[in-house]
Amino acid sequence: MEAAIFDVDGTLVDSERDGHRVAFNLAFEELGLPYRWDVELYGRLLEIAGGQHRLHSYLEGQGMSADQRDEIVPKLHARKTELFRELVADGRIEPRAGVAALVHDLAAARVRLAVATTGSRGWVEPLLERLFPRVPFDPVITGDEAPVRKPDPSAYFMALAGLRLPASEALAVEDSANGLVAAHAAGLACVVVVNDYTADHDLAAAELVVAGFDELDVASLRLAHQRAQRR
Ligand code: XBP
Ligand code: MG
């Protein structure tokens, strides 16, 4: 295991319910739109990866025409990205418990670190700088570069290309079924650390599923990686 490639939303940070959801709702409010996403509805909307795609799909369901959506979605999403950056800058988004220690232990064990996310670079970079300031994630692949979002494997293929490693020498760390499918489609072993939104996902194919980062260390990640090589 030469490298570990981390997802961001739901994995490095528990960012969806009290982060992105809040920012989407503030953006609706600021643009004078009547929509509000509650915790339960947002959980269902998370099946559509990528904020702009999520907005398009939801607004289409609300009967908004394609022309209207093409005009409003980029504005809504740009403002939502700014608002989410403000939440990060205000210290409202925190690393998941135990993940900072794990990435430091991996770096100390000379396992290289990378990021593959469907989220936008506009908030991913400031979030990593603020919450993981000394962690050498390289490359950081975001939804801005990957041509298709998870569960498509593009982001993982790009991360592997940046690392110059074959999939067999890396491991993905994810929180969701979408992420697991993307990682496996790229040929990567995958450990899933579930959260409230993903605990009921079908994760049977994962090399390892745990409820929190306190259940993981470098040795258990290496074991999960080896499990995939034997398959
Ligand atoms: C994350 C996403 C993103 C975030 C919001 O999925 O789907 O859309 O919800 O970020 P994953 P943006 O954790 O599988 O990468 O609004 O920037 O898209
Ligand atoms: Mg995720």
Side-chain angles (χ1 to χ4, degrees), residues 7 9 16 20 49-51 54 77 80 117-120 123 150:
D7 170 50
D9 285 309
E16 295 289 9
H20 294 297
R54 193 169 301 142
H77 193 257
K80 175 262 165 186
T117 172
T118 276
S120 314
W123 63 259
K150 299 176 191 174

Side-chain angles (χ1 to χ4, degrees), residues 68-190:
Q68 271 180 302
R69 281 186 278 125
D70 285 345
E71 201 198 313
I72 198 90
V73 166
K75 285 185 195 153
L76 266 173
H77 193 257
R79 185 62 188 134
K80 175 262 165 186
T81 299
E82 282 174 14
L83 289 160
F84 185 76
R85 285 174 66 133
E86 286 171 22
L87 292 176
V88 172
D90 290 346
R92 299 266 301 274
I93 310 293
E94 287 179 16
R96 279 188 71 176
V99 76
L102 181 66
V103 292
H104 283 113
D105 290 351
L106 285 165
R110 298 196 178 281
V111 177
R112 291 162 65 198
L113 300 165
V115 158
T117 172
T118 276
S120 314
R121 183 165 288 279
W123 63 259
V124 171
E125 273 188 345
L127 180 144
L128 293 176
E129 272 164 32
R130 184 182 166 107
L131 299 183
F132 300 91
R134 280 171 296 279
V135 181
F137 290 114
D138 184 24
V140 172
I141 306 295
T142 72
D144 290 24
E145 297 84 53
V148 191
R149 305 201 168 200
K150 299 176 191 174
D152 186 274
S154 320
Y156 279 113
F157 280 131
M158 291 177 78
L160 287 167
L163 287 161
R164 296 177 190 277
L165 288 177
S168 60
E169 289 178 20
L171 171 91
V173 185
E174 274 285 354
D175 71 306
S176 70
N178 255 355
L180 169 64
V181 170
H184 274 183
L188 287 156
C190 185

